[in-house]
């Protein structure tokens, strides 16, 4: 795509500036507003160390692009470092009030986050420097793109997300494999990989379909449509181009898009709960993943009743392997934290269905509860290392499939590793998505691109 | 491995930055006076928990945090002016009517802060009860008026019962009875409204636990200084090493 040129600014350089702004905001807010019930001097000092760590990671990934490291830093900046600033601004959190929680607990949580990020850093960079990085993928110049199938499937999937009565019968069957998120990811791969060979009409059609996706998600009350799109685009872009270089204007547009994303969030919230009065603290709370990590770490003992491998096994059997019936009546662990906080540890699938709430464990809190602090860090390192090794070992002659696999691995790293809702959640989703992913990959690889003298999976 | 290579090639630089960070941490630990948390727990009490309960607690919290009461607190506690009142923070305890009011102050200001917190409670009770008293007065007047109307209605009923009325007058009497029935209905509604209003306004702010000082001062312990500034120094040192390597290249 045209923005990815040698004269562009690397995303890591842009993030260095963002990191500096957030660190400065923490210092200024601490000086002006002073410590509070959740953020003490220790946490502020740790957050400076955290900012220095992010800076170092950005320097490393600026030198040698590493998608995992870049995702880690984006995640750390937006959901962790920024949270210290917002807590200094408004010490309010829906998570901290679930149990007894104070500034010392937040400090301990942030310290474990810093140590875990070291473990992830070592995991995703643990390869020989002589070892070549995955090469960028250039779309085949002879190829032509056929957009009928991607656009048609994406729009049907979006349509099915609305609960139209007329489509309810269709939804039952088509909904199994027409997954809108998978279709969006594949359509973005087509767009980024074959942008140069697409006609103006095709580009316009694809952009319109993506717009329809965002609009429909927002109208139906989902608050993360824009974020999902940006995140998928990042993963696809990195998978195809090997690094993210944008022109200055695009960074300006990204900054300008921030109010749009906030407006969409407010609108979707209004659609979801018309009576709810949304305030800044609600948004800060929603993007404060540091709260979840620190709170689960601070209350490891009660949560270990459901965050354990025995429960994971039971919930995977009930939610993923037994369609229509259950063996153990064990809901997914992430659905049970709210019940534990309300003093109801043993609940059924039906109770969860009636009072649905899911709580994120994050990459930091889950290993801490499962293995303890030291073995938890080793487990985090091992998982990060496996992601990096799998990404580097991806190979194949079909560029589309290779780009899809790379992008998918990055999506998995972010969605199920950094933002973990539990290993059981990950396994259940893998079971659910395996079939639609395989079918759609086959369809897209076969029909969405046409390369003369080329058979999918065979040599060109 | 980037980090190991940096340690080998730029050990001196990393060590220097690390040491500088630890020294600045030690200075930060030693120089400023210890800061203590002084806090008080109070309850915004309502006769019933209703839809306005949370709103009311938030109003009290925002009033405290805005500093709008500082002038009155200063006068009440004998301080020179509102600037002498420490920065008060308030936190609503989840799903309760409890508000924790707290401030972080140096050791020498602890007693002054305690006095200010006690004064805050008095100011709040006086400020809010003024509104309460005026409302109660209005409610009592309305209740008296309603009682007079009800008594008049009862008298009228009794007199109509006793009177020997002509058929025409009987018809008028029937209409009058219907009118008094309406009046009774209206009075009942009036009482309901009055009672609701009383429910909303019969609250008071009560101290649950008096102002107290935290056991240990807020701030950094030597171990925390070592951890936080050690990490900061390490990361800054590594970044400096990487930067110097790039510059050399």
């Amino acid at each position: 795509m045209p923005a990815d040129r040698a004269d562009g600014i690397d995303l890591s350089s842009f993030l260095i500036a963002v990191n500096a702004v957030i660190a400065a905001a923490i210092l200024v807010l601490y000086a002006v507003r002073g410590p509070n019930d959740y953020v003490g001097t220790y946490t502020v000092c740790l957050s400076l160390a955290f900012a220095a760590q992010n800076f170092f990671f950005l320097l490393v990934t600026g030198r040698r692009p590493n998608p995992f490291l870049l995702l880690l830093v984006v995640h750390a900046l937006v959901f962790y470092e920024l949270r210290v600033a917002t807590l200094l601004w408004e010490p309010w959190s829906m998570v901290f009030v679930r149990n007894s929680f104070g500034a010392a607990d937040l400090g301990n949580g942030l310290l474990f986050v810093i140590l875990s990020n070291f473990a992830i850093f070592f995991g995703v960079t643990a390869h020989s420097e002589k070892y070549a990085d995955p090469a960028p993928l250039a779309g085949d110049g002879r190829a032509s793109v056929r957009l009928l199938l991607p656009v048609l499937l994406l729009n049907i999937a979006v349509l099915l997300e609305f609960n139209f009565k007329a489509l309810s019968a269709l939804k039952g069957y088509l909904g199994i494999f027409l997954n809108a998120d998978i279709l969006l990811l594949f359509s973005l791969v087509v767009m980024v990989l074959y942008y140069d060979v697409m006609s103006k009409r095709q580009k316009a059609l694809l952009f319109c379909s993506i717009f329809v996706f965002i609009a429909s998600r927002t109208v139906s009350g989902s608050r993360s449509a824009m974020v999902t799109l940006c995140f998928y685009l990042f993963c696809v872009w990195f998978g195809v181009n090997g690094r993210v270089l944008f022109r200055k204007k695009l960074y300006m547009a990204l900054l300008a898009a921030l109010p749009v994303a906030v407006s969409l969030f407010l609108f979707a919230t209004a659609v979801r709960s018309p009576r709810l009065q949304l305030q800044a603290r609600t948004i800060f709370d929603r993007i404060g993943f540091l709260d979840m990590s620190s709170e689960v770490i601070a209350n490891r003992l009660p949560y270990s009743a459901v965050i354990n491998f025995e429960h994971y096994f039971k919930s995977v059997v009930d939610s993923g392997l037994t369609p229509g019936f259950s063996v153990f009546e064990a809901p997914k662990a992430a659905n049970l934290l709210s019940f534990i906080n309300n003093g109801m540890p043993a609940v059924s699938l039906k109770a969860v269905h009636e009072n649905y709430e899911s709580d994120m464990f994050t990459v930091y809190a889950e290993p801490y509860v499962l293995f303890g602090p030291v073995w938890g860090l080793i487990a985090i390192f091992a998982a990060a290392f496996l992601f990096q090794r799998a990404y580097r070992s991806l190979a194949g002659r079909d560029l589309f499939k290779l780009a899809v696999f790379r992008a998918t691995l990055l999506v998995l790293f972010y969605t199920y590793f950094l933002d973990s809702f539990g290993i059981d959640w990950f396994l259940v989703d893998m079971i659910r998505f395996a079939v639609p992913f395989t079918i759609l990959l086959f369809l897209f690889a076969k029909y969405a691109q046409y390369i003369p003298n080329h058979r999918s999976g065979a040599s060109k | 491995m980037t980090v190991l290579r940096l340690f080998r090639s730029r050990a001196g630089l990393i060590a220097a930055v690390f040491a500088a960070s630890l020294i600045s941490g030690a200075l930060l630990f030693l120089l400023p006076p210890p800061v203590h948390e002084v806090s008080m727990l109070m309850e915004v009490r309502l006769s019933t928990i209703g839809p306005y309960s949370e709103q009311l607690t938030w109003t009290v919290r925002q009033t405290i945090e805005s500093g709008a009461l500082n002038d009155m607190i200063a006068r009440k506690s004998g301080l020179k002016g509102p600037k002498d009142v420490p920065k008060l923070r308030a936190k609503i305890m989840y799903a309760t009517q409890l508000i924790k009011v707290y401030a972080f102050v140096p050791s020498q200001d602890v007693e002054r802060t305690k006095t200010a917190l006690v004064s805050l409670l008095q100011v709040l009770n006086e400020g809010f009860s003024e509104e309460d008293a005026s409302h109660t007065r209005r409610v009592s007047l309305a209740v008296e008026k309603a009682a007079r109307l009800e008594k008049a209605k009862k008298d009228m009923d009794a007199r109509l019962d006793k009177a020997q009325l002509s058929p025409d007058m009987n018809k008028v009497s029937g209409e009058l009875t219907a009118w008094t029935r309406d009046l009774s209905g209206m009075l009942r509604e009036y009482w309901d409204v009055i009672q609701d209003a009383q429910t909303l306004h019969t609250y008071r702010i009560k101290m649950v636990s008096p102002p107290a000082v935290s056991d240990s001062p807020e701030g950094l312990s030597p171990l925390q200084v070592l951890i936080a500034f050690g990490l900061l120094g390490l990361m800054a040192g590594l970044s400096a090493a990487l930067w110097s390597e790039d510059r050399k290249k």
Side-chain angles (χ1 to χ4, degrees):
Chain A
M1 285 183 78
D4 194 13
R5 287 178 183 165
D7 61 343
I9 301 170
D10 194 278
L11 184 63
S12 58
S13 309
F14 174 71
L15 291 175
I16 283 174
V18 175
N19 184 37
V21 168
I22 298 174
I26 291 171
L27 281 178
V28 170
L29 283 166
Y30 180 70
V32 174
R33 297 180 80 92
N36 59 51
D37 244 19
Y38 298 133
V39 185
T41 313
Y42 178 49
T43 313
V44 171
C45 293
L46 276 178
S47 63
L48 292 182
F50 191 42
Q53 186 188 46
N54 288 328
F55 177 66
F56 174 65
F57 290 172
L58 286 168
L59 286 183
V60 171
T61 191
R63 261 184 157 201
R64 191 173 181 181
N66 186 319
F68 298 106
L69 203 53
L70 209 49
L71 277 175
L72 176 71
V73 176
V74 171
H75 186 252
L77 286 180
V78 178
F79 300 111
Y80 288 82
E81 198 180 317
L82 180 64
R83 183 57 178 150
V84 179
T86 58
L87 275 174
L88 280 166
W89 174 263
E90 172 83 75
W92 186 87
S93 166
M94 286 293 285
V95 178
F96 292 160
V97 291
R98 302 194 296 205
N99 291 293
S100 172
F101 193 92
D105 296 309
L106 190 73
N108 292 339
L110 188 57
L111 178 62
F112 191 72
V113 168
I114 293 172
L115 297 176
S116 304
N117 281 1
F118 267 127
I120 297 171
F121 170 76
F122 287 123
V124 298
T125 55
H127 53 80
S128 165
E129 295 211 357
K130 291 170 190 168
Y131 198 81
D133 288 323
L137 307 174
D140 196 315
R142 295 169 301 151
S144 60
V145 183
R146 294 182 289 205
L147 279 186
L148 178 67
L149 184 86
V151 167
L152 189 69
L153 292 180
L154 182 60
N155 283 299
I156 293 174
V158 167
L159 204 64
L160 286 176
E161 287 196 350
F162 289 102
N163 290 319
F164 291 129
K165 276 187 181 175
L167 296 174
S168 58
L170 268 179
K171 194 178 178 180
Y173 299 104
L174 287 178
I176 295 173
F177 89 98
L178 279 186
N179 183 296
D181 290 278
I182 296 176
L183 281 163
L184 177 73
L185 186 74
F186 287 5
S187 303
L188 289 174
V189 171
V190 169
M191 187 175 84
V192 175
L193 193 60
Y194 291 110
Y195 192 82
D196 291 333
V197 294
M198 282 164 74
S199 68
K200 278 185 181 176
R201 275 187 188 178
Q202 285 182 316
K203 286 173 189 170
L205 188 64
L206 206 51
F207 280 124
C208 283
S209 299
I210 290 167
F211 177 77
V212 167
F213 171 85
I214 295 175
S216 68
R217 279 273 167 105
T218 307
V219 167
S220 61
S222 170
R223 298 181 289 189
S224 55
M226 195 76 179
V227 177
T228 305
L229 175 72
C230 291
F231 164 58
Y232 279 12
L233 190 59
F234 171 86
C235 294
V236 170
W237 197 290
F238 220 109
V240 172
N241 296 317
R243 70 183 308 156
V244 182
L245 283 169
F246 291 138
R247 277 179 291 182
K248 201 176 171 183
K249 279 180 186 171
L250 196 67
Y251 287 107
M252 293 299 178
L254 272 178
L255 288 176
L258 206 64
V260 178
V262 173
S263 308
L264 288 178
F265 180 89
L266 296 175
F267 177 72
T269 306
V271 170
R272 190 188 272 196
S273 339
R275 285 183 185 179
L276 185 72
Q277 276 187 321
L278 198 71
Q279 289 162 314
R281 62 168 175 267
T282 319
I283 301 175
F284 294 156
D285 183 60
R286 185 71 184 79
I287 60 168
F289 295 176
L290 176 63
D291 302 15
M292 284 89 161
S293 303
S294 310
E295 203 270 336
V296 175
I297 286 171
N299 297 286
R300 179 188 172 189
L301 211 59
Y303 293 139
S304 62
V306 293
I307 305 178
N308 60 65
F309 286 107
E310 189 190 338
H311 183 86
Y312 284 169
F313 171 75
K314 289 177 180 173
S315 69
V316 170
V317 169
D318 279 351
S319 303
L321 301 173
T322 52
F325 66 98
S326 65
V327 179
F328 303 106
E329 269 297 298
K332 282 179 274 189
N335 294 130
L336 291 176
L337 296 201
S338 56
F339 288 91
I340 290 176
N341 291 322
N342 291 323
M344 297 181 286
V347 288
S348 61
L349 286 163
K350 192 184 167 194
V352 167
H353 186 69
E354 283 166 2
N355 297 293
Y356 189 86
E357 190 181 321
S358 54
D359 290 285
M360 189 189 285
F361 299 159
T362 72
V363 60
Y364 312 109
E366 191 183 20
Y368 189 96
V369 177
L370 281 173
F371 307 110
V374 178
W375 285 104
L377 289 175
I378 295 169
I380 291 170
F381 165 79
F385 178 77
L386 286 176
F387 269 106
Q388 175 258 134
R389 185 42 69 91
Y391 190 82
R392 286 177 171 276
S393 62
L394 286 174
R397 287 170 182 168
D398 189 320
L399 292 181
F400 175 78
K401 281 185 182 171
L402 190 54
V404 164
F405 285 133
R406 281 185 186 176
T408 306
L409 209 55
L410 294 179
V411 170
L412 291 181
F413 175 79
Y414 188 91
T415 313
Y416 293 98
F417 181 63
L418 295 182
D419 286 350
S420 172
F421 274 78
I423 296 171
D424 56 344
W425 195 290
F426 168 67
L427 291 174
V428 169
D429 277 3
M430 288 309 101
I431 294 166
R432 279 188 192 155
F433 295 150
V435 173
F437 184 88
T438 313
I439 294 172
L440 291 172
L441 183 64
F442 170 77
L443 288 174
F444 267 66
K446 198 166 174 59
Y447 297 108
Q449 52 179 330
Y450 171 71
I451 302 165
N453 309 318
H454 170 76
R455 281 173 294 154
S456 180
S459 62
K460 285 182 281 186
Chain B
M1 294 282 284
T2 314
V3 174
L4 288 178
R5 193 177 39 74
L6 283 174
F7 267 119
R8 276 201 296 266
S9 62
R10 296 280 188 280
L13 179 62
I14 295 171
V17 176
F18 184 76
S21 172
L22 280 185
I23 290 167
S24 43
L27 290 176
L28 196 73
F29 171 66
L30 293 170
L31 290 181
V35 172
H36 293 267
E37 186 196 43
V38 184
S39 64
M40 169 182 80
L41 195 64
M42 56 190 205
E43 184 185 16
V44 180
R45 244 189 173 181
L46 285 107
S47 55
T48 55
I49 304 292
Y52 300 97
S53 316
E54 197 185 340
Q55 202 176 319
L56 179 65
T57 331
W58 275 100
T59 309
V60 174
R61 175 193 176 267
Q62 294 295 87
T63 313
I64 295 168
E65 289 224 325
S66 69
L69 304 173
N70 284 3
D71 197 24
M72 282 184 277
I73 294 171
R75 266 186 274 139
K76 201 118 207 125
S77 50
L79 297 172
K80 285 176 190 167
K83 283 184 181 172
D84 277 4
V85 178
K87 170 76 186 154
L88 296 177
R89 312 292 296 261
K91 173 187 166 187
I92 298 170
M93 313 305 270
Y94 184 61
T96 67
Q97 302 296 112
L98 297 170
I99 302 181
K100 178 186 169 186
V101 187
Y102 61 98
F104 291 96
V105 291
S107 314
Q108 68 269 20
D109 290 344
V110 166
E111 287 311 314
R112 194 158 56 108
T113 309
K114 281 184 177 177
T115 318
L117 285 175
V118 174
S119 307
L120 165 74
L121 190 73
Q122 291 168 355
V123 168
L124 280 170
N125 268 323
E126 283 169 13
F128 281 80
S129 67
E130 268 173 28
E131 188 190 342
D132 195 16
S134 76
H135 183 81
T136 310
R137 271 200 303 278
R138 279 167 53 209
V139 169
S140 334
L141 285 172
V143 169
E144 277 172 28
K145 203 174 166 186
R148 275 204 306 275
L149 280 169
E150 197 165 17
K151 191 173 176 294
K153 184 223 149 201
K154 277 179 184 167
D155 289 348
M156 207 178 287
D157 281 347
R159 280 162 65 193
L160 282 168
D161 279 347
K162 282 179 192 169
Q164 300 291 320
L165 298 172
S166 67
D168 280 352
M169 281 301 284
N170 238 344
K171 196 184 165 194
V172 175
S173 161
E175 284 166 6
L176 207 56
T177 308
W179 178 79
T180 53
R181 205 178 295 126
D182 288 347
L183 184 65
S184 301
M186 193 206 75
L187 281 172
R188 268 198 302 277
E189 280 174 26
Y190 193 45
W191 270 109
D192 287 345
V193 171
I194 287 167
Q195 277 171 343
D196 281 351
Q198 278 178 322
T199 307
L200 281 177
H201 286 267
T202 50
Y203 61 84
R204 78 193 167 89
I205 298 164
K206 181 190 147 192
M207 187 187 286
V208 175
S209 68
V213 192
S214 58
D215 294 336
S216 52
E218 205 284 328
L220 298 165
S221 69
L223 180 67
Q224 287 175 334
V225 169
L226 198 67
I227 293 171
F229 285 87
L231 281 169
L232 179 63
L234 179 68
M235 298 322 304
L238 285 169
S239 304
L242 208 60
W243 181 73
S244 106
E245 215 175 53
D246 281 348
R247 214 178 154 206
K248 201 179 173 186
K249 275 181 187 171

